[in-house]
Amino acid sequence: MAGLSEYCLNTFVSKYPKKISKTIQYGTAGFRTTAEDLSHVMFRMGLLATLRSRVTSAAIGVMITASHNPEPDNGVKLVDPHGEMLDPDWELVATELANVPDDQVENSVKNIIDRFQIDMDKSASVFIGRDTRPSSKSLSEAVTAGVEVLQGVANDYGVVTTPMLHYFVTCHNTDGAYGRPTQEGYCDKLSIAFKALRGETNMNGHYKPELEFDGANGVGALKMSELLRYLGDCLQVNIHNADTTTRGKLNYQCGADHVKSKQVPPSGVPLRRYARCASVDGDADRLVYYFVDDNSAFHLLDGDRIATLVAGYLKKLMEESGLELKMGLVQTAYANGSSTKYISESLNVPVACVPTGVKNLHKKALEFDIGVYFEANGHGTVVFSSDAKRQIKNATKDTSLPASQVAAAERLAYMVDLTNETVGDALSDLLLVETVMHARGWDVTDWLRTYTDLPNRLMKVKVQDRNVITTTDAERRCVTPEGLQDRIDLLVTKCPNGRSFVRPSGTEDIVRVFAEADTADHADTLAVQVAQAVYELAGGVGPLPSL
C-alpha cells in the first residue's frame, strides 16, 4: 500500500500522545505500569491487535488489567487466536511500537504491514475486556480508537475477568466448538459440568458445601456473584471484599497475591476455625485457599496444593476408566519442594520444571495427553489433548465397557468441560477444587495432610536495571551478575533444607527472591541474606531489603 494517510492515523496519535521518556517493555504479563502513563500504549495496542487479527485471520483479545498490582497501576496484554499469550515475535513488535516517538508511529505501523505482508483489505476483529480499576474504562476507549482507526471491528465486553476474555476469543475462533463466546455461555458450561459432577448430594464425608470467598474488591467478586445464579444451591459462597467502586480498595490487604506473598489471611474475611476460605486476585486468574485452626494458626493451600489435588483426582479417574493417557504436571522453580516430591513419588506423575510465565507452563503442558500446570501463586489450569478428549468421549459411549469404567469416563468428560483450558481461571479452578473435595469427602485438614510444605519466603529488591540479572536452568541458577550465584550457593549450604533463587521481574525494575528451608525462621534469614546479596551485586536502590 502507498501509505496510511487514508486512515488519518497521525490525527489520532496526537489525541493519545506519548508522555513518558522511559522505555516500557512487553513482559510476561504484557505492559504494566502506572495508569497515567498508558493511554498512548493502549491506543497503539489497538492498532497492533487489528494488524495481528488480519495476519491470523482471527479475532484477537485485548485485556486491560494490572491483575494483582495496586489500583493506581494498569496494564494491557494481547490474547492470540486460541486464547494463548501473544506470539513471542509480536511481543518484540509490541515493545517497539509502544516506545517509538509520536511522529514515528505511522512509519512503524507501515513497517509492520510490510514485514508481515498484511492485507489491509481483510476484515479484523478485536475483543476488548477490562477490570474494575477507575482508569480501565478510559484506557479501553483508547484501545477502541486504535482498532477503529485501522477499520477493525472493536467488540467491547466491558468488565470481565481476564480468563473470560481468553475464553471468548477461543470460542469465537473455533466457531463455537469450545462454547458460546458470551458470559452466559461461560457460566452455562461451567455450571452444567459442576452440577453433573456434584450429583444429588451436596454433603459428602467431611465435605461441607460452604465457602468464604475473598473477591479482592475486583471483578472476581462481581462474576462469582453472577455465576452463583447458575449454580443454584449446589454451593454456598459467602462473598467478601466485593467493593468495586471505592477507590483504593482493589487488592489492598486482600486478594490472592496478598495472601500468598504475606502468608496471612486477608482483611474483610471472617475466619471461623477450619472454614474453607478462598481468595482470587484483581482480574480473577489466580486462586489460593486457606484456613485457620483451633490455635488461630494460618494454613495456606496455594497453587501447588491445587495442582496436586486436581492431578491426583484426574489420575484416579484415568485409572478407573481404564484409559491409558499420559499425564504430567508442570511447575516453576517457585513450587514447594515437598509438593514436587509428593507428585513424583506418591502420585507417580511426571513433573516438569519450566521458567516462570504462563506461556512456558502452557506450552510444556501441551506435550501431555493431560497436562496440569500451576504456579505456586495460584495461577494454573489443565489442558487436554484432542486425542485425550476423543478417547474420553468414545469411552463414555462404549457399551462393551463395565459400567464403572463408563462412569469414570463420564466424570472425566465433565472435568474437561469444567476446565477453562485457555488460561488459569480462578472461578473455574475454584469449581474444580470444590468438585474434587466433594468427591473425596475431604475437608481442609484432609487436604493439608497430603504432604507438609517446607516454609518459604518471597522478597523483592528494587534495582536500577532488572536486565542485569540473567538466569538459566528454568530460572533456578543465576548467570549474571558475576559472583551472585556463588554467593547464593554459599548461603544455601549453611541453611538446613535450604533452596533459593532469584529472577528479574517481567514488568518492573525489581528482582524477586525466593527462599525455602526447614523452618520459617531459617527461610526468612536465607531470604534476607540473598536479598542483600542481590542489592550489593545487582545495583540495588533505596533502602536495604528487610522482612
Side-chain angles (χ1 to χ4, degrees):
M1 61 183 299
L4 291 168
S5 57
E6 63 184 288
Y7 297 101
C8 302
L9 184 55
N10 283 331
T11 300
F12 281 87
V13 170
S14 65
K15 292 182 179 179
Y16 300 100
K18 183 173 181 285
K19 300 177 182 178
I20 55 173
S21 58
K22 68 178 182 180
T23 298
I24 183 169
Q25 183 176 340
Y26 196 105
T28 55
F31 295 109
R32 192 174 294 178
T33 187
T34 53
E36 61 188 18
D37 293 335
L38 279 170
S39 63
H40 77 285
V41 175
M42 296 295 177
F43 172 72
R44 298 176 190 196
M45 289 308 100
L47 300 174
L48 191 70
T50 309
L51 298 176
R52 180 71 176 155
S53 177
R54 290 191 169 108
V55 166
T56 60
S57 300
I60 296 296
V62 178
M63 185 66 199
I64 297 138
T65 182
S67 187
H68 57 277
N69 279 37
E71 190 175 80
D73 290 349
N74 217 319
V76 59
K77 67 175 182 176
L78 273 61
V79 180
D80 256 359
H82 295 291
E84 72 272 44
M85 299 302 176
L86 182 64
D87 181 278
D89 287 343
W90 280 71
E91 290 183 4
L92 300 176
V93 175
T95 297
E96 180 180 349
L97 180 59
N99 288 286
V100 297
D102 292 342
D103 61 1
Q104 294 181 27
V105 170
E106 184 172 305
N107 188 56
S108 182
V109 170
K110 185 181 185 303
N111 288 340
I112 296 170
I113 294 170
D114 292 342
R115 174 182 172 185
F116 294 99
Q117 299 181 327
I118 300 173
D119 181 357
M120 294 298 287
D121 291 327
K122 290 181 66 174
S123 62
S125 180
V126 178
F127 288 11
I128 303 169
R130 66 179 189 270
D131 68 15
T132 58
R133 297 167 198 271
S135 60
S136 290
K137 190 174 190 305
S138 63
L139 292 177
S140 73
E141 292 168 354
V143 173
T144 298
V147 174
E148 292 180 345
V149 74
L150 291 185
Q151 299 179 5
V153 176
N155 301 275
D156 186 3
Y157 278 88
V159 175
V160 292
T161 70
T162 293
M164 288 173 73
L165 187 74
H166 284 254
Y167 178 88
F168 299 152
V169 170
T170 303
C171 290
H172 176 84
N173 289 329
T174 56
D175 295 323
Y178 192 67
R180 298 191 322 249
T182 63
Q183 180 173 297
E184 292 76 15
Y186 170 89
C187 291
D188 266 338
K189 185 177 181 181
L190 295 186
S191 60
I192 289 170
F194 181 75
K195 288 189 281 190
L197 287 161
R198 176 57 57 100
E200 299 297 324
T201 307
N202 288 335
M203 304 277 287
N204 184 35
H206 296 155
Y207 178 85
K208 296 179 181 179
E210 183 177 4
L211 176 71
E212 305 297 334
F213 180 87
D214 163 26
N217 293 315
V219 63
L222 294 177
K223 300 310 175 184
M224 173 53 77
S225 179
E226 294 172 9
L227 181 58
L228 287 176
R229 294 192 291 106
Y230 291 79
L231 295 177
D233 61 358
C234 288
L235 185 64
Q236 178 183 338
V237 179
N238 305 314
I239 302 176
H240 311 284
N241 294 326
D243 184 352
T244 60
T245 59
T246 302
R247 184 166 180 77
K249 286 279 192 79
L250 181 66
N251 294 320
Y252 180 66
Q253 295 185 349
C254 61
D257 187 65
H258 172 80
V259 174
K260 171 61 179 176
S261 299
K262 303 295 185 181
Q263 300 197 28
V264 295
S267 61
V269 176
L271 296 174
R272 294 176 289 110
R273 292 179 303 172
Y274 299 106
R276 204 163 59 257
C277 304
S279 287
V280 302
D281 63 337
D283 67 336
D285 65 356
R286 294 185 184 186
L287 171 73
V288 295
Y289 274 72
Y290 47 93
F291 69 96
V292 294
D293 62 21
D294 282 327
N295 300 315
S296 297
F298 174 77
H299 299 276
L300 178 65
L301 300 157
D302 61 8
D304 295 336
R305 291 280 181 179
I306 295 172
T308 57
L309 181 78
V310 173
Y313 186 63
L314 288 172
K315 184 180 181 185
K316 177 177 180 290
L317 292 180
M318 283 169 47
E319 292 172 344
E320 291 176 352
S321 68
L323 293 171
E324 295 184 2
L325 300 171
K326 181 183 178 184
M327 184 168 75
L329 198 147
V330 187
Q331 296 183 317
T332 70
Y334 286 107
N336 195 278
S338 292
S339 75
T340 307
K341 183 177 181 181
Y342 173 76
I343 295 160
S344 58
E345 296 182 5
S346 297
L347 297 182
N348 196 27
V349 171
V351 180
C353 185
V354 298
T356 304
V358 175
K359 61 185 178 184
N360 299 315
L361 290 129
H362 195 90
K363 180 179 179 181
K364 189 66 178 181
L366 291 172
E367 297 179 10
F368 302 95
D369 291 320
I370 300 179
V372 182
Y373 72 83
F374 272 86
E375 294 180 287
N377 62 27
H379 187 285
T381 190
V382 185
V383 292
F384 300 84
S385 69
S386 297
D387 184 59
K389 292 177 183 177
R390 179 187 59 78
Q391 289 191 49
I392 292 168
K393 183 178 180 180
N394 289 343
T396 65
K397 300 177 180 179
D398 192 341
T399 56
S400 68
L401 293 176
S404 60
Q405 287 185 224
V406 174
E410 289 175 342
R411 291 190 70 82
L412 269 175
Y414 281 121
M415 289 290 282
V416 173
D417 284 345
L418 190 58
T419 305
N420 185 349
E421 297 179 70
T422 65
V423 74
D425 183 338
L427 302 187
S428 167
D429 291 340
L430 183 144
L431 296 183
L432 283 172
V433 169
E434 294 300 315
T435 293
V436 178
M437 295 286 280
H438 173 265
R440 291 198 179 278
W442 281 4
D443 62 13
V444 286
T445 59
D446 296 315
W447 187 6
L448 185 68
R449 278 195 291 265
T450 52
Y451 63 86
T452 302
D453 277 317
L454 287 169
N456 58 78
R457 173 63 68 177
L458 296 171
M459 293 185 66
K460 300 176 183 178
V461 182
K462 291 184 178 181
V463 295
Q464 293 178 355
D465 179 8
R466 67 183 183 274
N467 294 309
V468 302
I469 298 282
T470 59
T471 63
T472 188
D473 188 23
E475 299 180 315
R476 290 176 288 191
R477 303 285 297 175
C478 187
V479 178
T480 61
E482 186 177 352
L484 179 54
Q485 186 59 52
D486 291 338
R487 227 8 220 273
I488 295 172
D489 289 341
L490 179 61
L491 293 169
V492 166
T493 61
K494 298 178 179 179
C495 184
N497 286 336
R499 181 170 72 93
S500 183
F501 66 91
V502 302
R503 55 175 289 271
S505 166
T507 55
E508 51 190 323
D509 284 325
I510 62 172
V511 177
R512 303 187 188 280
V513 174
F514 175 90
E516 184 178 83
D518 61 333
T519 68
D521 285 344
H522 286 157
D524 288 349
T525 299
L526 181 59
V528 169
Q529 290 174 337
V530 172
Q532 289 176 339
V534 170
Y535 187 91
E536 294 169 10
L537 297 177
V541 296
L544 283 167
S546 62
L547 292 176

